[in-house]
């Protein structure tokens, strides 16, 4: 909010390697693995990420928490042809949409966390 008030030019740092996604997990299964990190399991539940969109909620059912593969996991999966580029597009589009929701405008530039923008 403050950045908008000051008219600061903002960019997007696309993430496909750490934590939960913004897209629904059923839309991007090739990008995800079962969560094993310290990342809080409810981190994105209200944003439609890893914790949202599944289960019956409030009925004692537990949904498997998924998160990105990590830098080396993503690189390995790309080399082995396990990553769907259509799914990459879905997640990147969701991150751009979320940026616009928060900032009220399109980012002036973007790059990738852990240099993912350099990967094929």
């Amino acid at each position: 909010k403050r950045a908008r008030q000051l008219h600061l030019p903002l960019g997007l740092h696309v993430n496909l390697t750490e934590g939960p996604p913004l897209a629904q997990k059923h839309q991007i299964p090739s990008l995800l693995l079962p969560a094993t990190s310290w990342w809080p399991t409810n981190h994105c539940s209200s944003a439609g990420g890893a914790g949202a969109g599944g289960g019956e909620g409030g009925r004692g059912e537990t949904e498997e928490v998924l998160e990105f593969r990590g830098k080396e996991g993503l690189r390995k999966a790309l080399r082995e042809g396990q990553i769907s580029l259509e799914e990459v597009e879905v997640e990147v589009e969701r991150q751009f949409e979320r940026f616009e929701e928060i900032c009220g405008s399109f980012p002036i530039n973007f790059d990738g966390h852990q240099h993912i923008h350099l990967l094929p």
Side-chain angles (χ1 to χ4, degrees):
K1 184 176 176 180
R2 183 78 172 130
R4 279 194 307 214
Q5 292 171 342
L6 296 173
H7 303 287
L8 295 177
L10 298 175
L12 175 63
H13 192 65
V14 175
N15 174 32
L16 297 175
T17 58
E18 293 184 319
L22 291 181
Q24 295 289 319
K25 67 182 182 183
H26 71 272
Q27 296 176 301
I28 57 167
S30 74
L31 298 178
L32 306 173
L33 292 175
T36 58
S37 75
W38 55 270
W39 203 269
T41 58
N42 66 350
H43 178 72
C44 282
S45 60
S46 63
E56 294 296 319
R59 294 189 185 168
E61 294 181 20
T62 306
E63 184 178 355
E64 180 180 38
V65 177
L66 301 175
E67 63 185 9
F68 291 124
R69 296 170 170 264
K71 178 175 68 172
E72 294 307 320
L74 178 64
R75 290 178 179 177
K76 181 178 186 283
L78 277 167
R79 279 192 308 271
E80 295 174 358
Q82 298 174 353
I83 299 295
S84 163
L85 296 182
E86 290 82 13
E87 293 176 18
V88 169
E89 185 175 345
V90 167
E91 176 62 21
V92 171
E93 284 180 359
R94 183 62 190 107
Q95 290 184 30
F96 270 87
E97 290 167 358
R98 186 68 178 133
F99 182 95
E100 288 183 278
E101 290 169 12
I102 293 170
C103 298
S105 65
F106 200 72
I108 62 158
N109 70 310
F110 68 95
D111 62 9
H113 183 59
Q114 298 181 323
H115 304 289
I116 59 162
H117 58 284
L118 300 176
L119 299 175

